[in-house]
C-alpha cells in the first residue's frame, strides 16, 4: 500500500509496523503506555533473527568470546556501579500541565543544529540557557528549574514480611557480566584477552516521548565486555578492532547502507562517569543522526567498584608470570530494538507503485511464501500445500490463499519476504512453479524438485 505523500517517512514506517504486525503500542486497549511497545508476529521474528545473528557473530564464531544470561533484579550492584548516584537525565516540568520533559531535548529542538554542543552543558548551564532564552514547554507554558532525574526503576523485594529491601531493575546488562567475572574465570578456560557477551532486557525511566521504539522504558541490550591486560595490550588498537567489527556487523551482516552511518566521539564532559573514551556509531534515522551503538573504554572502573563494595577479589592471575591485576575492558553496547528500527528504516523502499522492505534475507521474518494461484481450486491448493509443508521444517515459510495474487505479493513485500512461490495451472502440467523475487518483482519458472536448491543458493 502506498501512502499519502504528505506523510513523513517515520509516520509511514510506524503505520506499516502496526498494519503488518511488526510493532504494536503496548496495552492499546487500555490507552497504551508511554514509550512502551510490543512486537507482533513478524516483529518477534525479526527481533529474534537480529538477536541470534548478533550472538552467532560475536559469541559463537569467536574463540575469544563466551556468553552469559543474567538476572534483571540485582542487589547492591547499582550503588557500587555508580548508577544510583550518576545515572540521571536533566528534566523540567511544565508548571501548568505538570508534564515532564528532558531539558536537553527541549534545548536541542530550540537550537539551530550545530550552534552549541548540548552534550557539553552541565545542569546549571542547561538551567541558565532555558531561562535566558525563555524556552517554554511544547504546550507553551513556563518551565520549572532543571532537576536531576534518575533513570533506574526502583522496587522492593520482601523475602520476610516487613523486611523489605530496595532493589533496582537493571539499567544495563553489563553489570551482570562484571558481577560474574570471577565465576566465568573459575568455571571456564578463558584467558585474557577475552570477552563476555550478555543479551537481555534493560529498564530506564525515560521521559522523552514520541520516538517510537528508539527510546523505550524496556529494551533489549546486547553488550560485550572485552577484558584485557592493560600492561600488555594497546586499548586504542582494541577499540579500533571492535569498531571495525561493529561496522562490519551493521553493513555486511545486516546489509545497512554505509552512507547512513557515522562515528562520533564523545566530548570529555559528555562521557559517562565510568568511561575514558567513548564513540557512538550513529545512524541517520528519519528524525536525525542518533546513537545506534556505543563503544566505551571502561578501564577497570567496574571490577574495582565491585571489589570495594563486595570485599571479594576480582583480580586475574596471569598463569605464566603469576602477576595479579584487575583487567581493563572495552565495551561495545547496542540496543537490539534500535538495530530493529534501523533495519526497518534502511530497508523501506517505495518504487513506482510498489512498497517493500529490502531486508537482508538472513533477518527477514519469512524467507519464502507459498500460494495457490486460486484459493478455491482443490488441485492447486493440494500441490501448493505439499510444497509449503515440505519447506516449512527448514525455512521460515508463510502460506496465503486469500484474495488475489497481487494483494498477496503486496502483503509479503511489506514484511520483506524475499521469495514468493505460486502454484498455477502450468504446475499441474509440468511440475514447475513461479518464483517471484521481492526486489526486482521478476518471476522465473523453477522445477518443484529444484526449489530447495534454488532457495539454498539465494538465501545463503
Ligand atoms: N552499558 C553501556 C550502556 O548501557 P548506553 O549508551 O546507555 O550504554 C547502550 O546504552 C545502547 O543501548 C545504546 O547505544 C542504545 O542502542 C541502547 N539503548 C539505550 N537506552 C535505550 C532506550 N531507552 N531504548 C532503547 N534502546 C536504548
Amino acid at each position: 500500500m502506498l501512502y499519502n505523500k504528505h506523510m513523513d517517512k517515520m509516520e509511514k514506517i510506524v503505520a506499516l509496523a502496526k498494519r503488518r504486525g511488526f510493532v504494536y503500542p503496548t496495552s492499546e486497549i487500555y490507552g497504551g503506555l508511554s514509550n512502551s511497545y510490543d512486537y507482533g508476529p513478524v516483529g518477534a521474528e525479526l527481533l529474534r533473527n537480529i538477536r541470534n545473528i548478533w550472538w552467532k557473530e560475536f559469541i559463537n564464531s569467536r574463540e575469544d568470546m563466551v556468553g552469559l544470561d543474567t538476572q534483571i533484579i540485582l542487589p547492591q550492584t547499582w550503588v557500587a556501579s555508580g548508577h544510583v548516584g550518576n545515572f540521571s537525565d536533566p528534566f523540567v516540568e511544565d508548571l501548568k500541565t505538570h508534564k515532564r520533559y528532558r531539558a536537553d531535548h527541549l534545548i536541542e529542538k530550540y537550537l539551530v543544529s550545530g550552534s552549541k554542543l548540548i552534550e557539553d552543558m552541565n545542569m546549571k548551564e542547561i538551567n541558565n540557557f532555558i531561562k535566558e532564552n525563555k524556552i517554554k514547554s511544547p504546550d507553551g507554558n513556563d518551565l520549572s528549574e532543571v532537576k536531576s532525574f534518575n533513570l533506574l526503576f526502583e522496587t522492593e523485594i520482601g523475602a520476610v514480611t516487613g523486611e523489605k529491601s530496595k532493589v533496582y531493575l537493571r539499567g544495563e546488562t553489563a553489570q551482570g557480566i562484571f558481577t560474574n567475572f570471577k565465576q566465568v574465570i573459575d568455571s571456564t578456560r578463558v584467558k585474557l584477552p577475552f570477552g563476555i557477551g550478555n543479551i537481555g532486557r534493560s529498564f530506564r525511566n525515560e521521559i522523552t516521548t514520541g520516538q517510537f521504539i528508539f527510546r523505550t522504558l524496556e529494551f533489549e541490550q546486547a553488550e560485550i565486555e572485552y577484558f584485557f591486560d592493560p600492561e600488555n595490550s594497546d586499548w586504542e588498537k582494541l577499540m579500533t578492532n571492535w569498531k571495525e567489527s561493529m561496522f562490519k556487523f551493521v553493513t555486511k551482516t545486516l546489509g545497512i547502507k554505509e552512507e547512513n552511518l557515522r562515528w562520533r566521539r564523545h566530548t570529555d564532559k559528555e562521557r559517562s562517569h565510568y568511561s575514558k573514551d567513548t564513540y557512538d556509531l550513529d545512524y541517520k534515522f528519519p528524525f536525525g543522526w542518533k546513537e545506534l551503538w556505543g563503544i566505551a573504554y571502561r578501564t577497570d572502573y567496574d571490577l574495582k567498584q565491585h571489589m570495594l563494595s563486595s570485599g571479594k577479589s576480582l583480580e586475574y592471575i596471569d598463569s605464566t608470570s603469576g602477576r595479579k591485576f584487575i583487567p581493563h575492558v572495552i565495551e561495545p553496547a547496542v540496543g537490539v530494538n534500535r538495530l530493529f528500527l534501523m533495519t526497518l528504516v534502511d530497508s523501506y523502499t517505495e518504487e513506482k507503485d510498489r512498497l517493500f522492505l529490502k531486508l537482508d534475507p538472513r533477518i527477514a521474518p519469512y524467507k519464502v511464501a507459498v500460494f495457490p494461484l486460486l484459493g478455491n481450486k482443490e488441485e492447486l491448493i493440494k500441490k501448493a500445500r505439499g510444497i509449503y509443508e515440505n519447506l516449512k521444517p527448514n525455512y521460515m515459510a508463510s502460506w496465503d490463499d486469500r484474495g488475489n495474487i497481487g494483494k498477496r505479493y503486496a502483503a509479503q513485500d511489506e514484511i520483506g519476504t524475499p521469495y514468493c512461490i505460486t502454484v498455477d495451472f502450468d504446475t499441474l502440467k509440468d511440475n514447475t512453479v513461479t518464483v517471484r523475487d521481492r526486489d526486482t518483482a521478476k518471476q522465473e519458472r523453477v522445477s518443484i524438485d529444484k526449489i530447495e536448491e534454488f532457495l539454498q543458493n539465494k538465501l545463503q
Side-chain angles (χ1 to χ4, degrees):
M1 174 180 143
L2 284 177
Y3 297 100
N4 174 338
K5 60 174 182 276
H6 300 298
M7 279 172 94
D8 71 24
K9 187 170 177 184
M10 203 55 215
E11 286 173 324
K12 293 177 187 178
I13 288 168
V14 173
L16 179 139
K18 185 164 189 232
R19 187 173 71 249
R20 292 296 178 195
F22 281 100
V23 181
Y24 309 132
T26 291
S27 298
E28 200 190 26
I29 57 166
Y30 293 110
L33 177 67
S34 289
N35 295 339
S36 300
Y37 293 89
D38 292 330
Y39 290 78
V42 289
E45 293 300 331
L46 177 57
L47 201 59
R48 186 182 298 264
N49 292 343
I50 294 173
R51 185 192 299 138
N52 289 348
I53 213 163
W54 180 95
W55 190 269
K56 187 167 172 228
E57 185 154 328
F58 290 111
I59 312 290
N60 297 155
S61 309
R62 293 181 60 132
E63 208 181 338
D64 58 348
M65 291 288 305
V66 290
L68 280 182
D69 191 324
T70 67
Q71 293 293 288
I72 285 167
I73 297 171
L74 305 176
Q76 289 171 16
T77 309
W78 304 104
V79 179
S81 67
H83 284 79
V84 170
N86 294 305
F87 195 49
S88 51
D89 284 333
F91 85 96
V92 279
E93 199 170 306
D94 178 316
L95 292 175
K96 219 175 204 167
T97 64
H98 303 291
K99 283 190 211 159
R100 288 170 169 184
Y101 300 96
R102 275 272 296 269
D104 51 334
H105 288 176
L106 288 185
I107 296 180
E108 207 171 51
K109 275 193 187 156
Y110 172 86
L111 285 172
V112 181
S113 69
S115 55
K116 190 165 165 82
L117 261 183
I118 314 159
E119 289 87 6
D120 280 351
M121 291 163 92
N122 61 30
M123 291 270 282
K124 203 168 158 216
E125 286 165 335
I126 291 176
N127 203 27
N128 290 344
F129 191 91
I130 288 179
K131 293 233 147 58
E132 280 160 20
N133 293 284
K134 301 189 173 50
I135 296 179
K136 304 275 180 204
S137 78
D139 293 322
N141 303 319
D142 287 335
L143 295 166
S144 69
E145 294 286 308
V146 178
K147 291 175 208 160
S148 175
F149 184 79
N150 195 284
L151 294 176
L152 289 179
F153 277 101
E154 199 178 298
T155 186
E156 289 180 329
I157 50 167
V160 183
T161 319
E163 277 186 36
K164 299 227 167 184
S165 58
K166 199 195 278 181
V167 287
Y168 297 91
L169 305 189
R170 67 180 171 200
E172 59 173 12
T173 53
Q175 293 306 322
I177 299 178
F178 294 121
T179 53
N180 280 296
F181 174 72
K182 186 90 176 69
Q183 311 204 78
V184 172
I185 299 254
D186 291 346
S187 59
T188 68
R189 303 183 60 80
V190 289
K191 266 185 157 182
L192 290 183
F194 74 91
I196 304 179
N198 197 9
I199 292 193
R201 291 264 165 147
S202 290
F203 300 79
R204 294 185 190 176
N205 208 347
E206 304 278 3
I207 50 175
T208 297
T209 54
Q211 292 185 314
F212 193 40
I213 54 170
F214 178 80
R215 195 183 304 281
T216 46
L217 302 182
E218 290 185 35
F219 54 100
E220 198 171 22
Q221 283 190 310
E223 299 199 283
I224 291 168
E225 300 303 331
Y226 197 75
F227 297 93
F228 60 93
D229 177 352
E231 281 188 19
N232 292 317
S233 301
D234 174 353
W235 69 267
E236 277 169 315
K237 201 159 167 226
L238 284 175
M239 191 108 164
T240 305
N241 291 347
W242 274 106
K243 281 170 68 188
E244 281 167 14
S245 301
M246 290 155 63
F247 201 79
K248 182 170 154 269
F249 180 80
V250 175
T251 54
K252 299 283 181 293
T253 307
L254 300 181
I256 301 303
K257 298 173 198 91
E258 285 195 19
E259 68 262 28
N260 292 334
L261 295 161
R262 71 167 191 202
W263 286 104
R264 191 182 73 80
R265 193 178 195 171
H266 281 211
T267 64
D268 289 348
K269 285 189 184 171
E270 175 192 6
R271 270 199 311 273
S272 302
H273 59 278
Y274 49 69
S275 176
K276 201 167 162 189
D277 197 10
T278 301
Y279 286 86
D280 285 345
L281 179 57
D282 288 348
Y283 179 75
K284 198 178 180 185
F285 288 98
F287 41 87
W289 285 100
K290 297 275 172 196
E291 174 187 348
L292 171 77
W293 199 331
I295 178 163
Y297 174 27
R298 277 179 98 126
T299 68
D300 55 359
Y301 173 86
D302 299 85
L303 288 180
K304 242 187 194 160
Q305 288 298 110
H306 290 303
M307 273 179 71
L308 281 173
S309 177
S310 67
K312 305 268 161 45
S313 168
L314 299 178
E315 286 170 311
Y316 178 88
I317 306 172
D318 186 290
S319 57
T320 327
S321 65
R323 186 167 63 90
K324 251 186 176 185
F325 59 93
I326 306 174
H328 281 214
V329 284
I330 299 280
E331 178 198 65
V334 70
V336 180
N337 316 77
R338 277 195 196 170
L339 291 173
F340 177 107
L341 180 58
M342 172 188 68
T343 64
L344 286 190
V345 170
D346 215 74
S347 67
Y348 182 92
T349 313
E350 282 180 15
E351 237 172 57
K352 294 186 196 128
D353 55 347
R354 280 210 313 134
L355 165 53
F356 58 102
L357 296 187
K358 217 171 177 171
L359 289 171
D360 188 290
R362 282 172 297 182
I363 56 166
Y366 290 105
K367 312 303 171 198
V368 58
V370 184
F371 317 140
L373 180 66
L374 301 171
N376 57 2
K377 284 277 176 276
E378 208 40 58
E379 321 90 276
L380 297 181
I381 293 173
K382 198 165 159 220
K383 197 90 183 165
R385 285 292 312 171
I387 295 171
Y388 169 73
E389 279 158 22
N390 195 36
L391 291 175
K392 191 76 181 149
N394 298 322
Y395 297 89
M396 191 60 191
S398 168
W399 169 264
D400 196 357
D401 58 7
R402 300 157 311 156
N404 67 44
I405 199 85
K407 280 201 173 142
R408 293 187 222 155
Y409 282 149
Q412 295 299 329
D413 279 349
E414 289 195 9
I415 60 171
T417 308
Y419 297 100
C420 291
I421 293 174
T422 304
V423 167
D424 54 23
F425 291 103
D426 284 344
T427 313
L428 304 179
K429 285 188 234 148
D430 63 6
N431 252 355
T432 64
V433 290
T434 299
V435 181
R436 175 187 174 273
D437 183 293
R438 174 197 68 198
D439 300 343
T440 59
K442 288 212 173 94
Q443 303 185 0
E444 60 183 297
R445 297 296 294 186
V446 176
S447 171
I448 291 180
D449 58 3
K450 292 269 183 312
I451 292 177
E452 281 219 52
E453 195 184 316
F454 175 92
L455 289 176
Q456 255 168 29
N457 290 336
K458 297 283 188 182
L459 296 172
Q460 63 188 347

